[in-house]
């Protein structure tokens, strides 16, 4: 006699990705992550307007990092974009993630920011996996899970005529 | 059963747990921003280390709300686990002819 042994909990306690618990938690994670960026951006706007000088200083401080001369070049040549862009994009990315609107586009932007933070803040004293890297992974995860569809506006946006006519736009939604 | 949300307790736990977490992080965070500097959760100090401005809402209160929310969610999952019929053998057994 042979027996086929299965996990007795598999049918009882599954956290499959389509389940309500998973979607609930992804939505909660999305709002908190969005708040993190929105708070960072909107407080810069309040304090510095759209001329955040700290951005170029931060990039110039990244000389000698794994990104090579790129951050310094950005600080020297793209200051016109970086100074207003950091507070503006942080705010917009935060709003997009929080409300689940254009989630994948926003998460992509967040991942770019977090890459710069991960590299720029990195002392790596406790290893490569830092808090910034974890946040970078959260942005990628939100994009991969299409998190904007869970209690988010992307579920509504994707039913608009524009998106139905141009289905490739769904890659920008979540 | 999978993880279908059925009962009022499920919905209440989701609302209370998630609500406490969001209140601590986002809700009171909005209050903090609207109240003016400091916009972070920590007091602002001068070069001498003296506190020159404190947040309107104590950071410890916000953290307590978040932890309380997580405890609610954890308790909910323990409740679900306790309520799950376990140990019933659903394994299919097939008689095989011995050689």
């Amino acid at each position: 006699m042979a027996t086929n042994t299965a996990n007795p909990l598999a049918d009882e306690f599954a956290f499959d990705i389509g389940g309500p618990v998973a979607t609930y938690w992804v939505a909660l994670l999305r709002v908190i992550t969005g708040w993190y960026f929105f708070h960072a951006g909107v407080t810069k706007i309040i304090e510095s307007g759209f001329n955040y000088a700290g951005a170029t200083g931060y990039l110039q401080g990244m000389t000698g990092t794994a990104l090579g001369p790129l951050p310094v070049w950005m600080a020297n040549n793209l200051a016109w974009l970086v100074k207003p862009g950091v507070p503006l994009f942080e705010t917009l990315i935060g709003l997009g993630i929080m409300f689940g609107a254009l989630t994948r586009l926003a998460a992509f932007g967040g991942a770019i920011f977090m890459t710069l933070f991960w590299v720029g803040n990195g002392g790596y004293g406790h290893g490569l996996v830092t808090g910034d890297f974890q946040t970078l992974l959260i942005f990628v995860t939100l994009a991969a899970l299409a998190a904007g569809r869970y209690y988010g506006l992307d579920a509504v946006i994707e039913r608009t005529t524009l998106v139905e006519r141009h289905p490739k736009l769904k890659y920008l939604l979540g | 059963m999978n993880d279908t949300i059925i009962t009022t307790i499920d919905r209440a736990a989701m609302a209370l747990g998630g609500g406490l977490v969001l209140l601590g992080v986002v809700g009171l965070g909005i209050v903090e921003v609207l109240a003016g500097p400091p916009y972070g959760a920590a007091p602002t100090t001068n070069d001498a280390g003296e506190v020159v401005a404190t947040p309107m809402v104590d950071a410890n209160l916000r953290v307590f709300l978040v932890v309380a929310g997580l405890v609610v969610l954890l308790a909910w999952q323990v409740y679900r686990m306790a309520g799950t019929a376990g140990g019933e053998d659903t394994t299919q057994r097939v008689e095989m002819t011995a050689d």
Side-chain angles (χ1 to χ4, degrees), chain B residues 72-87:
Chain B
V72 169
L73 293 176
L74 175 66
W76 170 43
Q77 288 306 304
V78 171
Y79 159 80
R80 291 285 302 249
M81 190 169 68
T84 300

Side-chain angles (χ1 to χ4, degrees), chain A residues 81-157:
Chain A
L81 174 65
V82 170
K83 285 183 179 178
V86 166
L88 178 63
F89 290 133
E90 280 184 342
T91 303
L92 292 178
I93 287 168
L95 285 173
I97 296 283
M98 265 202 294
F99 290 101
L102 296 173
T103 305
R104 281 186 167 142
L105 179 65
F108 178 73
I112 291 175
F113 269 87
M114 289 316 305
T115 302
L116 289 166
F117 295 160
W118 179 43
V119 175
N121 296 343
Y124 310 123
H126 296 284
L128 280 187
V129 183
T130 63
D132 285 332
F133 184 60
Q134 296 281 11
T135 311
L136 165 59
L137 294 182
I138 289 176
F139 277 112
V140 177
T141 303
L142 292 177
L145 295 180
R149 286 186 174 83
Y150 311 134
Y151 308 98
L153 291 178
D154 279 339
V156 178
I157 296 172

Side-chain angles (χ1 to χ4, degrees), chain A residues 144-167:
Chain A
L145 295 180
R149 286 186 174 83
Y150 311 134
Y151 308 98
L153 291 178
D154 279 339
V156 178
I157 296 172
E158 74 174 359
R159 289 198 295 270
T160 59
T161 311
L162 177 68
V163 178
E164 286 182 353
R165 281 184 187 166
H166 304 281

Side-chain angles (χ1 to χ4, degrees), chain B residues 25-56:
Chain B
V25 176
V26 180
L28 292 177
I30 292 171
V31 171
E32 203 65 84
V33 170
L34 294 177
Y39 299 111
T44 306
T45 55
N46 60 17
D47 293 339
E50 298 165 335
V51 174
V52 293
T54 53
M56 182 176 175

